Amino acid sequence: MAALGIRIDGKAAAERVREEVRSRVEAMADRVRPGLATVLVGDDPASAVYVRSKHRACEKVGIESVHVELPATVTQSELIGHIDDLNARPDVHGILVQLPLPEGLDEKAVIERVSAAKDVDGLHPVSQGRLLAGQPGPRPCTPLGCMRLLDEAGVDPRGKRAVVVGRSLLVGKPVALLLLERHATVTLCHSRTTDLAGEIGRADIVVAALGRPRAIPGAWIKEGATVIDVGINRIAEGLVGDVDYESAIERAGHITPVPGGVGPMTIAMLLSNTVEAALRSVDADV
Ligand code: NDP
């Protein structure tokens, strides 16, 4: 039987990213103190938990945080007004609108209203265009986290066959572009892919972002492949990924667990994007 694959520790990797951010914040203290604003609309408890953890993470690395909390009854134009205020504040370098927004609010319009310079989520069409064009700019946090985990595992995508399952704007498409940028040969799969098992079976790197609990069995994984599981699915047993971890670790070379893999990286990369945005703001002033 093949040796068990190596578990990629996302918690430890995220701690290393936070430590890097902390040192960068210290080193830039005489120029600018990075500030991140969060906008929370409504009373969804999960969203409130996410926002609180972002604030705690900011505090630990010396990033200033600003919080705007609005009732679910806020109108589109009031919400846009708050975004405009944050766009104008010189002490705010990144703006994060916690999604999903309550029904009746136009998410796309809100995301597009955030100044592209303060888009630390990398979801603004300008940021997405920059990614497509290979120009520098903020990249979406979860995809950046996936790439960092490959680096942490010592896996260089250059020349490798990579299969990304899922084509959302949030995860699948940007991960595919980031892998392409690092010279992988990329296949992007989705719900109409006819032979998912065959595609995955040829892959040296698999990024699973389909949002279906344990949909990818270990038997599909090529021996020695690297598996990055983005999925977060709550089932009766608890949180599980899109890959069946127990069987996949028997074949993979490296694999991320769920929880404790990609999840912890997302906020760490948000902090890193905020530092980049703050640096760009002072460089732009020069
Ligand atoms: P979406 O629902 O937006 O996209 C899912 C994608 O998977 C779609 O492109 C869909 O195809 C594809 N898909 C669905 N079912 C299948 C299938 N059976 N076979 C092949 N492809 C399929 O999800 P997200 O991209 O937002 O999120 C994906 C997962 O990642 C979720 O579990 C989510 O919770 C998790 N996530 C985790 C984060 C983290 O921090 N770790 C951050 C963000 C998301 P089609 O386009 O054809 O419909």
Side-chain angles (χ1 to χ4, degrees), residues 19-225:
E19 194 45 56
E20 285 165 21
V21 170
R22 200 177 299 133
S23 328
R24 292 181 77 190
V25 170
E26 250 175 56
M28 66 204 266
D30 57 340
R31 297 173 71 203
V32 60
R33 168 133 196 227
L36 174 71
T38 53
V39 180
L40 176 65
V41 186
D43 46 17
D44 176 55
S47 292
V49 168
Y50 288 139
V51 165
R52 266 201 304 278
S53 54
K54 284 166 190 169
H55 283 248
R56 266 200 308 273
C58 281
E59 206 178 305
K60 285 187 186 154
V61 297
I63 293 178
E64 196 67 51
S65 51
V66 172
H67 185 44
V68 176
E69 205 169 326
L70 301 165
T73 51
V74 73
T75 65
Q76 180 79 16
S77 60
E78 284 164 349
L79 176 54
I80 293 286
H82 285 282
I83 302 286
D84 287 346
D85 290 345
L86 293 171
N87 279 339
R89 278 179 67 160
D91 59 331
V92 168
H93 306 99
I95 301 172
L96 183 132
V97 180
Q98 185 64 46
L99 302 177
L101 290 174
E103 230 167 279
L105 294 168
D106 181 349
E107 231 167 67
K108 191 165 157 284
V110 172
I111 289 172
E112 290 184 14
R113 191 69 174 210
V114 171
S115 147
K118 299 191 178 187
D119 170 41
V120 278
D121 242 353
L123 296 179
H124 193 284
V126 169
S127 309
Q128 290 175 355
R130 289 203 174 119
L131 169 60
L132 186 67
Q135 294 170 4
R139 308 304 194 213
C141 303
T142 302
L144 261 189
C146 295
M147 300 307 291
R148 173 70 187 238
L149 289 176
L150 288 177
D151 291 335
E152 292 276 335
V155 175
D156 181 359
R158 177 183 291 261
K160 301 221 165 57
R161 276 179 200 274
V163 164
V164 178
V165 191
R167 56 175 163 180
S168 71
L169 273 181
L170 186 62
V171 189
K173 278 186 198 168
V175 167
L177 288 168
L178 290 172
L179 284 162
L180 192 61
E181 200 168 74
R182 298 277 303 273
H183 311 296
T185 301
V186 182
T187 302
L188 190 47
C189 300
H190 45 78
S191 67
R192 303 336 187 261
T193 297
T194 49
D195 180 17
L196 190 59
E199 300 295 348
I200 290 176
R202 282 186 287 278
D204 305 306
I205 297 172
V206 178
V207 180
L210 58 158
R212 302 273 180 273
R214 295 177 178 149
I216 300 176
W220 291 5
I221 306 291
K222 183 169 122 176
E223 291 244 336

Side-chain angles (χ1 to χ4, degrees), residues 241-257:
D242 290 345
V243 177
D244 181 47
Y245 183 83
E246 298 305 325
S247 58
I249 198 167
E250 306 259 346
R251 294 175 64 86
H254 291 86
I255 181 166
T256 60

Side-chain angles (χ1 to χ4, degrees), residues 9-19 149 152 261 263-266 268:
D9 186 345
K11 271 192 185 165
E15 183 47 42
R16 279 190 286 277
V17 173
R18 282 195 296 270
E19 194 45 56
L149 289 176
E152 292 276 335
M265 297 301 285
T266 300

